[in-house]
Amino acid sequence: NAGVTQTPKFRVLKTGQSMTLLCAQDMNHEYMYWYRQDPGMGLRLIHYSVGEGTTAKGEVPDGYNVSRLKKQNFLLGLESAAPSQTSVYFCASSFRPDGAAQHFGDGTRLSIL
Amino acid sequence: EDKVVQSPLSLVVHEGDTVTLNCSYEVTNFRSLLWYKQEKKAPTFLFMLTSSGIEKKSGRLSSILDKKELSSILNITATQTGDSAIYLCAVPMNRDDKIIFGKGTRLHILP
């Protein structure tokens, strides 16, 4: 009964380092999303995918890249981390495109020093 | 520019009170509005409102869509401490499957 699993849960990086956040879902959902959440800012969409092999930019895509090579996995990459990317990152998946009934992971807390 | 605005941003009430949270939107070709509740970690889905389903209710929570005023309200009656959370409103964009969230209302219920 895993749902959406994000790894890692916490990470501290130095400016300029790179890393990849992994999101895995076991519900056979087509739609997957990466959000960031900053204090007082709600959720902001970084990138999303409407199916295996597809990706698209959200509201705040700069500094991030994504890949969806397998339907169940959605990877978020930071090529050269910056302090402005310190945030809590949430992955979500859904069987429908209208944002309803999204299942969210528990988040990854990322700090960039 | 498409946007979703929630108010108030923060609210503190006593247990048993009734609260009303607001969400207004400006989007092209509106089709639906979503409410999510976020407690400690992941947001959980509450309601979806559309032109054909402008009112939803679940226990003490209810929500109404006002297409004329381009807004929605979320009502919680007889609040309990377990209702303390961030309530998020979101609107999917019709043209490209993006989803725009508001900044959320942080609700705190005092015992």
Side-chain angles (χ1 to χ4, degrees):
Chain A
N1 198 22
V4 178
T5 303
Q6 291 184 231
T7 53
K9 290 184 171 31
F10 305 96
R11 186 75 183 267
V12 179
L13 290 178
K14 293 181 179 177
T15 297
Q17 287 185 315
S18 63
M19 80 161 294
T20 300
L21 307 184
L22 172 63
C23 176
Q25 53 97 0
D26 61 3
M27 296 169 284
N28 203 34
H29 286 169
E30 289 291 340
Y31 303 89
M32 296 188 74
Y33 309 84
W34 274 109
Y35 297 92
R36 61 177 289 175
Q37 187 173 39
D38 303 296
M41 294 296 291
L43 291 169
R44 291 185 292 170
L45 183 64
I46 305 172
H47 286 281
Y48 63 103
S49 169
V50 301
E52 181 179 313
T54 73
T55 63
K57 294 180 179 179
E59 288 179 88
V60 290
D62 294 342
Y64 305 96
N65 56 72
V66 287
S67 66
R68 183 110 181 259
L69 298 179
K70 291 184 179 180
K71 187 176 185 179
Q72 63 268 34
N73 296 334
F74 195 28
L75 279 63
L76 178 71
L78 285 73
E79 287 186 348
S80 179
S84 60
Q85 294 176 304
T86 293
S87 188
V88 179
Y89 292 84
F90 286 99
C91 175
S93 73
S94 178
F95 65 93
R96 51 194 296 172
D98 57 9
Q102 287 186 68
H103 293 254
F104 282 82
D106 285 341
T108 295
R109 186 173 294 274
L110 185 60
S111 293
I112 317 295
L113 305 178
Chain B
E1 182 187 341
D2 300 315
K3 60 181 179 180
V4 176
V5 178
Q6 292 186 246
S7 63
L9 293 180
S10 179
L11 186 59
V12 180
V13 300
H14 286 95
E15 205 167 21
D17 288 350
T18 293
V19 298
T20 299
L21 311 183
N22 299 283
C23 176
S24 64
Y25 58 90
E26 289 180 28
V27 300
T28 308
N29 297 325
F30 172 86
R31 56 180 178 178
S32 62
L33 182 144
L34 313 166
W35 284 100
Y36 280 82
K37 176 182 181 182
Q38 184 178 20
E39 295 178 80
K40 288 189 169 55
K41 290 185 178 177
T44 54
F45 175 68
L46 292 175
F47 300 121
M48 182 170 81
L49 301 163
T50 66
S51 300
S52 57
I54 62 171
E55 188 167 355
K56 292 286 175 69
K57 185 175 170 62
S58 176
R60 296 177 294 101
L61 276 67
S62 63
S63 184
I64 297 173
L65 178 69
D66 187 337
K67 283 200 71 179
K68 199 172 177 182
E69 296 296 326
L70 305 184
S71 66
S72 173
I73 59 170
L74 177 67
N75 278 325
I76 309 175
T77 59
T79 52
Q80 302 170 359
T81 54
D83 295 326
S84 295
I86 298 173
Y87 290 85
L88 296 162
C89 173
V91 176
M93 300 296 105
N94 198 30
R95 62 183 182 278
D96 55 11
D97 293 327
K98 287 182 186 175
I99 299 167
I100 306 296
F101 278 80
K103 293 183 178 182
T105 293
R106 184 178 293 273
L107 176 64
H108 186 62
I109 311 296
L110 298 170

